[in-house]
Amino acid sequence: MEMFFCDLLKVCKIVFNLFIVFLLLFLCPSCDKRSNKEESNLVTIEKVDSIRVDWETKITILDFDQNKSRYLAVDQVTKEFLIIDNTGKVLESIQRFGDGPNEYNSSLIAASFFEEKGGYLLLSSRDLIWYSDVWEVNDRFRFVSEWYAVFYTGPRYAVPYYYQKNGSDIFVFTNFFSGFNSNAGIKDTNIDFLVEQFNPVADRLEKVILFKSADIPRIDLPKGNSSMPVQVYHLDKEKNLMYLTFQHSNEIGVYDLRENFELKYNVNFNHDVFNQSNNSKNVGLFRFDQGLTGILYFKGLNESSEVAKKSVDPNYVPFFDPKLYGLILIKDDKSIEVEVPFPFPDCEPNSEIVQLPGNRILMRDIYNGDVEPEFSSYSIFEVSVQ
């Protein structure tokens, strides 16, 4: 009988321990939710300003000069460049497409202010042009990139450039643009390097960042997809750092551009919803003050839900739906990692997004009118960390 009670006591202890384990497993998710809720209270995103640009045709804002508080935009129809002040007023329009001495005749990929030396930078797959403040050519570099793109609405990006250590010449990415397939149109599918860049010192193109390196962020390509992954990144020109992830990844690699793209550290993050069958993908990466990084991603939509929505609205396109986007905010030390629904419901998540000083970003407002507008309106949001 005594032996029976001893065995019964052991069984009770085992059952009790199992009960505690299951209880902890059950409570853990709710603990995480409380933690996420507390973290979300530490981050606020609010609209702080707006601008309206009165222009008859659609424009794309490419860059912002914080020294002069000016925007650089391009007319998608005429290809004119516009200089716009911080209230939305067009200060000047410039046409430089042609065969004249201060003109270009190639298809531009990117254009931006050249804040460090003044003027503007224009980039195509065939040349890099440095214009003065009065739009006269200061310098022109010619090359033949393996990658060639034609954007019929004009340049889409700011020129991605950086400075080498103790150098005064800029190094320019010629094929590496955030959110765009950098190997589209290349016949050679055996790609070893991610980035093609123009080296002005040697006056040549060169390859950097070995694709199969262990320093590349983890990539989870959809099954059956053998194409090169699409990069999503942010260049910090002040610190000469690149924050790099990919459309199908949950890791950011931080690279020192002055030290031959040496990996400094990695930052992992988690999506609330990330389903390959729904075409989920990262679409934007932003760097804010206080060691805060933002990852904008498209959650996607399953086929049956898309069909249901199109039965109500035949023009419905999931990629244009702000409700299908999420924003992950994460600090370098992981003291904050929170995901919030797309906080800009009246803005186009698939249009231009320009990062501004002071933890601010500019986004195009959604236009719901039936008549083609003769203006472009934008909202400016600020991210704050308590």
Side-chain angles (χ1 to χ4, degrees), residues 147-192:
W147 180 80
Y148 183 74
V150 175
F151 296 145
Y152 295 102
T153 56
R156 291 186 185 178
Y157 306 96
V159 177
Y161 68 88
Y162 68 97
Y163 289 89
Q164 285 277 13
K165 189 174 183 180
N166 300 323
S168 59
D169 295 301
I170 60 170
F171 285 64
V172 179
F173 296 163
T174 55
N175 76 328
F176 205 64
F177 304 94
S178 186
F180 196 83
N181 186 350
S182 60
N183 291 288
I186 295 181
K187 295 181 180 179
D188 183 7
T189 58
N190 186 23
I191 305 297
D192 294 325

mmCIF file of all heavy atoms in Angstrom, residues 147-192:
data_model
loop_
_atom_site.group_PDB
_atom_site.id
_atom_site.type_symbol
_atom_site.label_atom_id
_atom_site.label_comp_id
_atom_site.label_asym_id
_atom_site.label_seq_id
_atom_site.Cartn_x
_atom_site.Cartn_y
_atom_site.Cartn_z
ATOM 1 N N TRP A 147 23.248 46.205 -67.431
ATOM 2 C CA TRP A 147 21.818 46.316 -67.129
ATOM 3 C C TRP A 147 21.261 47.534 -67.835
ATOM 4 O O TRP A 147 21.831 48.622 -67.782
ATOM 5 C CB TRP A 147 21.665 46.449 -65.621
ATOM 6 C CG TRP A 147 20.255 46.569 -65.135
ATOM 7 C CD1 TRP A 147 19.373 45.549 -64.957
ATOM 8 C CD2 TRP A 147 19.592 47.765 -64.727
ATOM 9 N NE1 TRP A 147 18.186 46.033 -64.463
ATOM 10 C CE2 TRP A 147 18.287 47.390 -64.310
ATOM 11 C CE3 TRP A 147 19.946 49.105 -64.682
ATOM 12 C CZ2 TRP A 147 17.362 48.305 -63.852
ATOM 13 C CZ3 TRP A 147 19.021 50.022 -64.222
ATOM 14 C CH2 TRP A 147 17.751 49.628 -63.815
ATOM 15 N N TYR A 148 20.144 47.370 -68.529
ATOM 16 C CA TYR A 148 19.567 48.477 -69.279
ATOM 17 C C TYR A 148 18.077 48.569 -68.975
ATOM 18 O O TYR A 148 17.363 47.567 -68.980
ATOM 19 C CB TYR A 148 19.773 48.288 -70.780
ATOM 20 C CG TYR A 148 19.268 49.446 -71.610
ATOM 21 C CD1 TYR A 148 19.966 50.649 -71.649
ATOM 22 C CD2 TYR A 148 18.084 49.337 -72.333
ATOM 23 C CE1 TYR A 148 19.505 51.715 -72.408
ATOM 24 C CE2 TYR A 148 17.609 50.396 -73.093
ATOM 25 C CZ TYR A 148 18.325 51.592 -73.121
ATOM 26 O OH TYR A 148 17.867 52.647 -73.854
ATOM 27 N N ALA A 149 17.619 49.770 -68.677
ATOM 28 C CA ALA A 149 16.208 49.976 -68.359
ATOM 29 C C ALA A 149 15.701 51.223 -69.065
ATOM 30 O O ALA A 149 16.443 52.195 -69.241
ATOM 31 C CB ALA A 149 16.019 50.116 -66.849
ATOM 32 N N VAL A 150 14.426 51.178 -69.455
ATOM 33 C CA VAL A 150 13.755 52.324 -70.053
ATOM 34 C C VAL A 150 12.495 52.596 -69.244
ATOM 35 O O VAL A 150 11.606 51.737 -69.172
ATOM 36 C CB VAL A 150 13.389 52.081 -71.528
ATOM 37 C CG1 VAL A 150 12.585 53.257 -72.078
ATOM 38 C CG2 VAL A 150 14.642 51.856 -72.360
ATOM 39 N N PHE A 151 12.425 53.752 -68.611
ATOM 40 C CA PHE A 151 11.236 54.165 -67.874
ATOM 41 C C PHE A 151 10.532 55.240 -68.702
ATOM 42 O O PHE A 151 11.040 56.355 -68.837
ATOM 43 C CB PHE A 151 11.608 54.708 -66.499
ATOM 44 C CG PHE A 151 12.245 53.682 -65.591
ATOM 45 C CD1 PHE A 151 13.233 54.051 -64.699
ATOM 46 C CD2 PHE A 151 11.850 52.361 -65.634
ATOM 47 C CE1 PHE A 151 13.811 53.121 -63.851
ATOM 48 C CE2 PHE A 151 12.427 51.415 -64.807
ATOM 49 C CZ PHE A 151 13.408 51.786 -63.906
ATOM 50 N N TYR A 152 9.381 54.911 -69.239
ATOM 51 C CA TYR A 152 8.700 55.830 -70.147
ATOM 52 C C TYR A 152 8.118 57.042 -69.424
ATOM 53 O O TYR A 152 7.773 58.039 -70.058
ATOM 54 C CB TYR A 152 7.615 55.091 -70.920
ATOM 55 C CG TYR A 152 8.176 54.038 -71.846
ATOM 56 C CD1 TYR A 152 8.147 52.699 -71.500
ATOM 57 C CD2 TYR A 152 8.786 54.402 -73.048
ATOM 58 C CE1 TYR A 152 8.689 51.739 -72.343
ATOM 59 C CE2 TYR A 152 9.329 53.451 -73.898
ATOM 60 C CZ TYR A 152 9.272 52.115 -73.531
ATOM 61 O OH TYR A 152 9.827 51.164 -74.355
ATOM 62 N N THR A 153 8.014 56.953 -68.113
ATOM 63 C CA THR A 153 7.509 58.104 -67.343
ATOM 64 C C THR A 153 8.648 58.913 -66.730
ATOM 65 O O THR A 153 8.413 59.753 -65.867
ATOM 66 C CB THR A 153 6.566 57.626 -66.225
ATOM 67 O OG1 THR A 153 7.247 56.670 -65.394
ATOM 68 C CG2 THR A 153 5.322 56.990 -66.813
ATOM 69 N N GLY A 154 9.878 58.677 -67.194
ATOM 70 C CA GLY A 154 11.010 59.426 -66.656
ATOM 71 C C GLY A 154 11.658 58.715 -65.482
ATOM 72 O O GLY A 154 11.233 57.621 -65.089
ATOM 73 N N PRO A 155 12.700 59.289 -64.910
ATOM 74 C CA PRO A 155 13.417 58.640 -63.813
ATOM 75 C C PRO A 155 12.508 58.362 -62.619
ATOM 76 O O PRO A 155 11.603 59.136 -62.311
ATOM 77 C CB PRO A 155 14.507 59.658 -63.458
ATOM 78 C CG PRO A 155 14.018 60.965 -63.992
ATOM 79 C CD PRO A 155 13.223 60.631 -65.208
ATOM 80 N N ARG A 156 12.785 57.250 -61.943
ATOM 81 C CA ARG A 156 11.951 56.830 -60.808
ATOM 82 C C ARG A 156 12.646 56.975 -59.466
ATOM 83 O O ARG A 156 11.995 56.905 -58.419
ATOM 84 C CB ARG A 156 11.549 55.366 -60.972
ATOM 85 C CG ARG A 156 10.585 55.099 -62.110
ATOM 86 C CD ARG A 156 10.148 53.639 -62.064
ATOM 87 N NE ARG A 156 9.311 53.292 -63.199
ATOM 88 C CZ ARG A 156 8.840 52.062 -63.397
ATOM 89 N NH1 ARG A 156 9.132 51.100 -62.546
ATOM 90 N NH2 ARG A 156 8.083 51.813 -64.453
ATOM 91 N N TYR A 157 13.956 57.113 -59.476
ATOM 92 C CA TYR A 157 14.720 57.037 -58.234
ATOM 93 C C TYR A 157 15.642 58.239 -58.062
ATOM 94 O O TYR A 157 15.979 58.922 -59.025
ATOM 95 C CB TYR A 157 15.579 55.769 -58.207
ATOM 96 C CG TYR A 157 14.811 54.490 -58.438
ATOM 97 C CD1 TYR A 157 14.729 53.922 -59.712
ATOM 98 C CD2 TYR A 157 14.170 53.849 -57.395
ATOM 99 C CE1 TYR A 157 14.024 52.748 -59.936
ATOM 100 C CE2 TYR A 157 13.467 52.682 -57.594
ATOM 101 C CZ TYR A 157 13.393 52.129 -58.872
ATOM 102 O OH TYR A 157 12.687 50.976 -59.089
ATOM 103 N N ALA A 158 16.054 58.448 -56.811
ATOM 104 C CA ALA A 158 17.182 59.337 -56.552
ATOM 105 C C ALA A 158 18.454 58.567 -56.858
ATOM 106 O O ALA A 158 18.500 57.337 -56.702
ATOM 107 C CB ALA A 158 17.171 59.805 -55.100
ATOM 108 N N VAL A 159 19.493 59.257 -57.315
ATOM 109 C CA VAL A 159 20.750 58.584 -57.665
ATOM 110 C C VAL A 159 21.395 58.018 -56.400
ATOM 111 O O VAL A 159 21.676 58.760 -55.454
ATOM 112 C CB VAL A 159 21.719 59.564 -58.349
ATOM 113 C CG1 VAL A 159 23.052 58.875 -58.640
ATOM 114 C CG2 VAL A 159 21.109 60.101 -59.640
ATOM 115 N N PRO A 160 21.638 56.700 -56.355
ATOM 116 C CA PRO A 160 22.267 56.096 -55.168
ATOM 117 C C PRO A 160 23.785 56.207 -55.246
ATOM 118 O O PRO A 160 24.424 55.586 -56.086
ATOM 119 C CB PRO A 160 21.808 54.636 -55.240
ATOM 120 C CG PRO A 160 21.576 54.381 -56.699
ATOM 121 C CD PRO A 160 21.231 55.689 -57.347
ATOM 122 N N TYR A 161 24.372 57.014 -54.367
ATOM 123 C CA TYR A 161 25.822 57.194 -54.400
ATOM 124 C C TYR A 161 26.377 57.290 -52.988
ATOM 125 O O TYR A 161 25.657 57.528 -52.022
ATOM 126 C CB TYR A 161 26.201 58.433 -55.207
ATOM 127 C CG TYR A 161 25.806 59.762 -54.586
ATOM 128 C CD1 TYR A 161 26.653 60.436 -53.689
ATOM 129 C CD2 TYR A 161 24.601 60.375 -54.916
ATOM 130 C CE1 TYR A 161 26.295 61.648 -53.139
ATOM 131 C CE2 TYR A 161 24.232 61.592 -54.369
ATOM 132 C CZ TYR A 161 25.081 62.222 -53.481
ATOM 133 O OH TYR A 161 24.722 63.430 -52.923
ATOM 134 N N TYR A 162 27.693 57.105 -52.887
ATOM 135 C CA TYR A 162 28.376 57.194 -51.590
ATOM 136 C C TYR A 162 29.821 57.585 -51.833
ATOM 137 O O TYR A 162 30.298 57.613 -52.981
ATOM 138 C CB TYR A 162 28.303 55.863 -50.831
ATOM 139 C CG TYR A 162 29.107 54.742 -51.455
ATOM 140 C CD1 TYR A 162 30.387 54.443 -51.002
ATOM 141 C CD2 TYR A 162 28.592 53.988 -52.510
ATOM 142 C CE1 TYR A 162 31.136 53.419 -51.578
ATOM 143 C CE2 TYR A 162 29.325 52.971 -53.097
ATOM 144 C CZ TYR A 162 30.599 52.688 -52.615
ATOM 145 O OH TYR A 162 31.343 51.693 -53.188
ATOM 146 N N TYR A 163 30.538 57.884 -50.757
ATOM 147 C CA TYR A 163 31.951 58.251 -50.833
ATOM 148 C C TYR A 163 32.811 57.140 -50.240
ATOM 149 O O TYR A 163 32.485 56.583 -49.191
ATOM 150 C CB TYR A 163 32.221 59.549 -50.076
ATOM 151 C CG TYR A 163 31.665 60.782 -50.743
ATOM 152 C CD1 TYR A 163 30.370 61.212 -50.469
ATOM 153 C CD2 TYR A 163 32.429 61.515 -51.638
ATOM 154 C CE1 TYR A 163 29.844 62.343 -51.077
ATOM 155 C CE2 TYR A 163 31.916 62.651 -52.257
ATOM 156 C CZ TYR A 163 30.631 63.057 -51.970
ATOM 157 O OH TYR A 163 30.111 64.182 -52.575
ATOM 158 N N GLN A 164 33.914 56.835 -50.926
ATOM 159 C CA GLN A 164 34.885 55.911 -50.368
ATOM 160 C C GLN A 164 35.653 56.584 -49.236
ATOM 161 O O GLN A 164 35.623 57.799 -49.077
ATOM 162 C CB GLN A 164 35.868 55.448 -51.457
ATOM 163 C CG GLN A 164 35.293 54.447 -52.443
ATOM 164 C CD GLN A 164 35.334 53.023 -51.915
ATOM 165 O OE1 GLN A 164 35.566 52.792 -50.735
ATOM 166 N NE2 GLN A 164 35.095 52.071 -52.806
ATOM 167 N N LYS A 165 36.340 55.794 -48.454
ATOM 168 C CA LYS A 165 37.096 56.307 -47.319
ATOM 169 C C LYS A 165 38.145 57.311 -47.779
ATOM 170 O O LYS A 165 38.932 57.049 -48.687
ATOM 171 C CB LYS A 165 37.780 55.140 -46.589
ATOM 172 C CG LYS A 165 38.428 55.526 -45.268
ATOM 173 C CD LYS A 165 38.946 54.285 -44.557
ATOM 174 C CE LYS A 165 39.529 54.644 -43.199
ATOM 175 N NZ LYS A 165 40.031 53.425 -42.489
ATOM 176 N N ASN A 166 38.125 58.492 -47.167
ATOM 177 C CA ASN A 166 39.074 59.579 -47.456
ATOM 178 C C ASN A 166 39.032 60.005 -48.926
ATOM 179 O O ASN A 166 40.019 60.513 -49.460
ATOM 180 C CB ASN A 166 40.514 59.168 -47.096
ATOM 181 C CG ASN A 166 40.661 58.835 -45.627
ATOM 182 O OD1 ASN A 166 40.032 59.479 -44.786
ATOM 183 N ND2 ASN A 166 41.471 57.844 -45.320
ATOM 184 N N GLY A 167 37.902 59.800 -49.560
ATOM 185 C CA GLY A 167 37.798 60.154 -50.974
ATOM 186 C C GLY A 167 36.864 61.320 -51.193
ATOM 187 O O GLY A 167 35.999 61.624 -50.375
ATOM 188 N N SER A 168 37.054 61.998 -52.316
ATOM 189 C CA SER A 168 36.199 63.133 -52.671
ATOM 190 C C SER A 168 35.327 62.824 -53.877
ATOM 191 O O SER A 168 34.516 63.649 -54.280
ATOM 192 C CB SER A 168 37.060 64.368 -52.973
ATOM 193 O OG SER A 168 37.954 64.101 -54.041
ATOM 194 N N ASP A 169 35.518 61.627 -54.477
ATOM 195 C CA ASP A 169 34.732 61.213 -55.641
ATOM 196 C C ASP A 169 33.610 60.282 -55.203
ATOM 197 O O ASP A 169 33.790 59.435 -54.329
ATOM 198 C CB ASP A 169 35.622 60.495 -56.661
ATOM 199 C CG ASP A 169 36.675 61.414 -57.242
ATOM 200 O OD1 ASP A 169 36.298 62.431 -57.842
ATOM 201 O OD2 ASP A 169 37.880 61.113 -57.082
ATOM 202 N N ILE A 170 32.456 60.441 -55.851
ATOM 203 C CA ILE A 170 31.322 59.591 -55.509
ATOM 204 C C ILE A 170 31.357 58.300 -56.310
ATOM 205 O O ILE A 170 31.766 58.286 -57.473
ATOM 206 C CB ILE A 170 29.985 60.313 -55.738
ATOM 207 C CG1 ILE A 170 29.831 60.718 -57.208
ATOM 208 C CG2 ILE A 170 29.839 61.493 -54.808
ATOM 209 C CD1 ILE A 170 28.432 61.211 -57.545
ATOM 210 N N PHE A 171 30.943 57.218 -55.672
ATOM 211 C CA PHE A 171 30.746 55.940 -56.327
ATOM 212 C C PHE A 171 29.241 55.754 -56.485
ATOM 213 O O PHE A 171 28.487 55.922 -55.524
ATOM 214 C CB PHE A 171 31.361 54.814 -55.506
ATOM 215 C CG PHE A 171 32.864 54.761 -55.571
ATOM 216 C CD1 PHE A 171 33.643 55.798 -55.071
ATOM 217 C CD2 PHE A 171 33.511 53.676 -56.151
ATOM 218 C CE1 PHE A 171 35.028 55.759 -55.132
ATOM 219 C CE2 PHE A 171 34.899 53.622 -56.218
ATOM 220 C CZ PHE A 171 35.657 54.673 -55.715
ATOM 221 N N VAL A 172 28.799 55.388 -57.685
ATOM 222 C CA VAL A 172 27.373 55.390 -58.010
ATOM 223 C C VAL A 172 26.912 53.990 -58.394
ATOM 224 O O VAL A 172 27.527 53.340 -59.245
ATOM 225 C CB VAL A 172 27.086 56.368 -59.175
ATOM 226 C CG1 VAL A 172 25.602 56.348 -59.535
ATOM 227 C CG2 VAL A 172 27.521 57.776 -58.806
ATOM 228 N N PHE A 173 25.836 53.528 -57.762
ATOM 229 C CA PHE A 173 25.223 52.267 -58.176
ATOM 230 C C PHE A 173 24.555 52.476 -59.541
ATOM 231 O O PHE A 173 23.766 53.415 -59.709
ATOM 232 C CB PHE A 173 24.155 51.815 -57.186
ATOM 233 C CG PHE A 173 24.679 51.484 -55.809
ATOM 234 C CD1 PHE A 173 23.811 51.400 -54.731
ATOM 235 C CD2 PHE A 173 26.019 51.256 -55.588
ATOM 236 C CE1 PHE A 173 24.272 51.101 -53.472
ATOM 237 C CE2 PHE A 173 26.506 50.958 -54.321
ATOM 238 C CZ PHE A 173 25.619 50.877 -53.251
ATOM 239 N N THR A 174 24.834 51.621 -60.493
ATOM 240 C CA THR A 174 24.254 51.768 -61.831
ATOM 241 C C THR A 174 23.148 50.764 -62.112
ATOM 242 O O THR A 174 22.433 50.893 -63.113
ATOM 243 C CB THR A 174 25.354 51.619 -62.903
ATOM 244 O OG1 THR A 174 26.026 50.368 -62.710
ATOM 245 C CG2 THR A 174 26.355 52.754 -62.808
ATOM 246 N N ASN A 175 22.998 49.743 -61.259
ATOM 247 C CA ASN A 175 21.963 48.730 -61.491
ATOM 248 C C ASN A 175 21.173 48.398 -60.227
ATOM 249 O O ASN A 175 20.279 47.550 -60.254
ATOM 250 C CB ASN A 175 22.588 47.433 -62.011
ATOM 251 C CG ASN A 175 23.288 46.654 -60.901
ATOM 252 O OD1 ASN A 175 23.831 47.248 -59.962
ATOM 253 N ND2 ASN A 175 23.259 45.340 -60.990
ATOM 254 N N PHE A 176 21.483 49.025 -59.132
ATOM 255 C CA PHE A 176 20.985 48.597 -57.822
ATOM 256 C C PHE A 176 20.041 49.654 -57.264
ATOM 257 O O PHE A 176 20.471 50.653 -56.683
ATOM 258 C CB PHE A 176 22.189 48.388 -56.885
ATOM 259 C CG PHE A 176 21.939 47.429 -55.757
ATOM 260 C CD1 PHE A 176 21.678 46.098 -55.998
ATOM 261 C CD2 PHE A 176 21.991 47.865 -54.440
ATOM 262 C CE1 PHE A 176 21.476 45.206 -54.952
ATOM 263 C CE2 PHE A 176 21.788 46.987 -53.396
ATOM 264 C CZ PHE A 176 21.538 45.648 -53.648
ATOM 265 N N PHE A 177 18.731 49.414 -57.453
ATOM 266 C CA PHE A 177 17.712 50.359 -57.014
ATOM 267 C C PHE A 177 16.698 49.627 -56.148
ATOM 268 O O PHE A 177 16.268 48.520 -56.480
ATOM 269 C CB PHE A 177 17.025 51.008 -58.220
ATOM 270 C CG PHE A 177 17.989 51.688 -59.143
ATOM 271 C CD1 PHE A 177 18.511 51.014 -60.244
ATOM 272 C CD2 PHE A 177 18.405 52.978 -58.908
ATOM 273 C CE1 PHE A 177 19.417 51.622 -61.085
ATOM 274 C CE2 PHE A 177 19.315 53.603 -59.745
ATOM 275 C CZ PHE A 177 19.827 52.930 -60.836
ATOM 276 N N SER A 178 16.320 50.248 -55.068
ATOM 277 C CA SER A 178 15.459 49.593 -54.097
ATOM 278 C C SER A 178 14.108 49.218 -54.702
ATOM 279 O O SER A 178 13.410 50.059 -55.270
ATOM 280 C CB SER A 178 15.248 50.508 -52.887
ATOM 281 O OG SER A 178 14.535 49.837 -51.872
ATOM 282 N N GLY A 179 13.753 47.934 -54.603
ATOM 283 C CA GLY A 179 12.464 47.459 -55.076
ATOM 284 C C GLY A 179 12.406 47.125 -56.550
ATOM 285 O O GLY A 179 11.330 46.813 -57.072
ATOM 286 N N PHE A 180 13.551 47.173 -57.237
ATOM 287 C CA PHE A 180 13.553 46.900 -58.678
ATOM 288 C C PHE A 180 14.533 45.780 -58.990
ATOM 289 O O PHE A 180 15.637 45.734 -58.437
ATOM 290 C CB PHE A 180 13.922 48.154 -59.465
ATOM 291 C CG PHE A 180 13.571 48.073 -60.924
ATOM 292 C CD1 PHE A 180 12.290 48.370 -61.356
ATOM 293 C CD2 PHE A 180 14.504 47.690 -61.863
ATOM 294 C CE1 PHE A 180 11.944 48.285 -62.698
ATOM 295 C CE2 PHE A 180 14.180 47.604 -63.206
ATOM 296 C CZ PHE A 180 12.886 47.908 -63.626
ATOM 297 N N ASN A 181 14.145 44.878 -59.882
ATOM 298 C CA ASN A 181 14.981 43.742 -60.247
ATOM 299 C C ASN A 181 16.241 44.223 -60.958
ATOM 300 O O ASN A 181 16.193 44.651 -62.108
ATOM 301 C CB ASN A 181 14.197 42.780 -61.144
ATOM 302 C CG ASN A 181 14.969 41.503 -61.438
ATOM 303 O OD1 ASN A 181 16.152 41.386 -61.141
ATOM 304 N ND2 ASN A 181 14.286 40.529 -62.021
ATOM 305 N N SER A 182 17.357 44.154 -60.285
ATOM 306 C CA SER A 182 18.604 44.706 -60.815
ATOM 307 C C SER A 182 19.203 43.853 -61.924
ATOM 308 O O SER A 182 20.179 44.259 -62.562
ATOM 309 C CB SER A 182 19.641 44.857 -59.690
ATOM 310 O OG SER A 182 19.912 43.599 -59.095
ATOM 311 N N ASN A 183 18.627 42.682 -62.183
ATOM 312 C CA ASN A 183 19.164 41.828 -63.238
ATOM 313 C C ASN A 183 18.160 41.580 -64.355
ATOM 314 O O ASN A 183 18.346 40.686 -65.177
ATOM 315 C CB ASN A 183 19.620 40.487 -62.644
ATOM 316 C CG ASN A 183 20.835 40.663 -61.756
ATOM 317 O OD1 ASN A 183 21.930 40.908 -62.224
ATOM 318 N ND2 ASN A 183 20.629 40.564 -60.458
ATOM 319 N N ALA A 184 17.093 42.374 -64.382
ATOM 320 C CA ALA A 184 16.126 42.256 -65.467
ATOM 321 C C ALA A 184 16.794 42.616 -66.791
ATOM 322 O O ALA A 184 17.500 43.617 -66.889
ATOM 323 C CB ALA A 184 14.938 43.183 -65.215
ATOM 324 N N GLY A 185 16.593 41.794 -67.788
ATOM 325 C CA GLY A 185 17.147 42.078 -69.108
ATOM 326 C C GLY A 185 18.547 41.547 -69.334
ATOM 327 O O GLY A 185 19.058 41.616 -70.445
ATOM 328 N N ILE A 186 19.169 41.001 -68.293
ATOM 329 C CA ILE A 186 20.510 40.438 -68.457
ATOM 330 C C ILE A 186 20.390 38.983 -68.907
ATOM 331 O O ILE A 186 19.706 38.182 -68.280
ATOM 332 C CB ILE A 186 21.308 40.539 -67.139
ATOM 333 C CG1 ILE A 186 21.543 42.010 -66.781
ATOM 334 C CG2 ILE A 186 22.641 39.815 -67.264
ATOM 335 C CD1 ILE A 186 22.330 42.208 -65.514
ATOM 336 N N LYS A 187 21.047 38.632 -69.990
ATOM 337 C CA LYS A 187 20.938 37.284 -70.555
ATOM 338 C C LYS A 187 21.684 36.267 -69.709
ATOM 339 O O LYS A 187 21.284 35.111 -69.607
ATOM 340 C CB LYS A 187 21.461 37.280 -71.987
ATOM 341 C CG LYS A 187 20.633 38.137 -72.951
ATOM 342 C CD LYS A 187 21.192 38.075 -74.353
ATOM 343 C CE LYS A 187 20.362 38.932 -75.312
ATOM 344 N NZ LYS A 187 20.898 38.896 -76.676
ATOM 345 N N ASP A 188 22.788 36.682 -69.095
ATOM 346 C CA ASP A 188 23.577 35.762 -68.289
ATOM 347 C C ASP A 188 22.884 35.565 -66.940
ATOM 348 O O ASP A 188 22.821 36.478 -66.123
ATOM 349 C CB ASP A 188 24.990 36.322 -68.080
ATOM 350 C CG ASP A 188 25.880 35.366 -67.302
ATOM 351 O OD1 ASP A 188 25.440 34.220 -67.053
ATOM 352 O OD2 ASP A 188 27.003 35.761 -66.943
ATOM 353 N N THR A 189 22.338 34.368 -66.708
ATOM 354 C CA THR A 189 21.626 34.103 -65.455
ATOM 355 C C THR A 189 22.560 33.664 -64.336
ATOM 356 O O THR A 189 22.128 33.504 -63.202
ATOM 357 C CB THR A 189 20.564 33.019 -65.676
ATOM 358 O OG1 THR A 189 21.206 31.825 -66.179
ATOM 359 C CG2 THR A 189 19.502 33.480 -66.664
ATOM 360 N N ASN A 190 23.813 33.455 -64.650
ATOM 361 C CA ASN A 190 24.788 33.049 -63.636
ATOM 362 C C ASN A 190 25.401 34.307 -63.012
ATOM 363 O O ASN A 190 26.514 34.722 -63.329
ATOM 364 C CB ASN A 190 25.866 32.162 -64.266
ATOM 365 C CG ASN A 190 26.812 31.592 -63.224
ATOM 366 O OD1 ASN A 190 26.465 31.490 -62.055
ATOM 367 N ND2 ASN A 190 28.002 31.229 -63.660
ATOM 368 N N ILE A 191 24.654 34.924 -62.101
ATOM 369 C CA ILE A 191 25.069 36.184 -61.505
ATOM 370 C C ILE A 191 25.829 35.911 -60.210
ATOM 371 O O ILE A 191 25.329 35.219 -59.323
ATOM 372 C CB ILE A 191 23.852 37.082 -61.216
ATOM 373 C CG1 ILE A 191 23.030 37.280 -62.490
ATOM 374 C CG2 ILE A 191 24.299 38.407 -60.644
ATOM 375 C CD1 ILE A 191 23.763 37.987 -63.590
ATOM 376 N N ASP A 192 27.032 36.458 -60.098
ATOM 377 C CA ASP A 192 27.840 36.264 -58.900
ATOM 378 C C ASP A 192 27.795 37.455 -57.955
ATOM 379 O O ASP A 192 28.002 37.306 -56.753
ATOM 380 C CB ASP A 192 29.301 35.987 -59.284
ATOM 381 C CG ASP A 192 29.464 34.657 -60.015
ATOM 382 O OD1 ASP A 192 28.732 33.710 -59.668
ATOM 383 O OD2 ASP A 192 30.307 34.580 -60.919
#
